[in-house]
Amino acid sequence: MSVTGRCLCGAVTVTAAQLPAEMSACHCEMCRKWSGSVGMGLPVPEEELSVTGEVQTYASSSFAERAWCPTCGSALWFRDTKGKNVGTVELCPGLFENAGGARLVREVYADQCPEGYAFAGDHDRWSRADYEAREQFVPEGGE
Ligand SMILES: [Zn+2]
Ligand SMILES: [Zn+2]
């Protein structure tokens, strides 16, 4: 059964054929600034997603973009535009009731998390070095 989420003002809706049971969190500097704190994502195949309403995007690097609602500013998704992860959209869990019911399974750039907060629980924690050994990344100081 499909699941629909919406931004704060309701001008944008995103409907996924289904949502994954697992989500991840990222503490990299770009995610911290874009989200206001922690970037979190529910990975969904792009072809299973439908979106209504006006959306704006920002190319945050040469291989990825971030989308938001131009009316209320709600973060909508992050997606790669180049490389092996093209075709997957990381939807912001906050668009959905109860974060879509997903469970946090991975925290990346865990060593970049600000000192004043932390996620509790038993899940994978990848340091910046762990992440950058496996995935595309923007080098320190930009591209
Ligand atoms: Zn909105
Ligand atoms: Zn990040």
Side-chain angles (χ1 to χ4, degrees), residues 94-118:
L95 300 169
F96 300 94
E97 180 84 31
N98 191 34
R103 190 172 62 89
L104 180 67
V105 295
R106 184 179 314 113
E107 203 176 338
V108 305
Y109 286 77
D111 56 337
Q112 309 284 304
C113 181
E115 293 171 4
Y117 56 80

Side-chain angles (χ1 to χ4, degrees), residues 6-12 54 68-74 76:
R6 47 186 49 81
C7 65
L8 178 60
C9 76
V12 178
E54 189 191 345
W68 72 96
C69 169
T71 302
C72 69
S74 295
L76 301 171

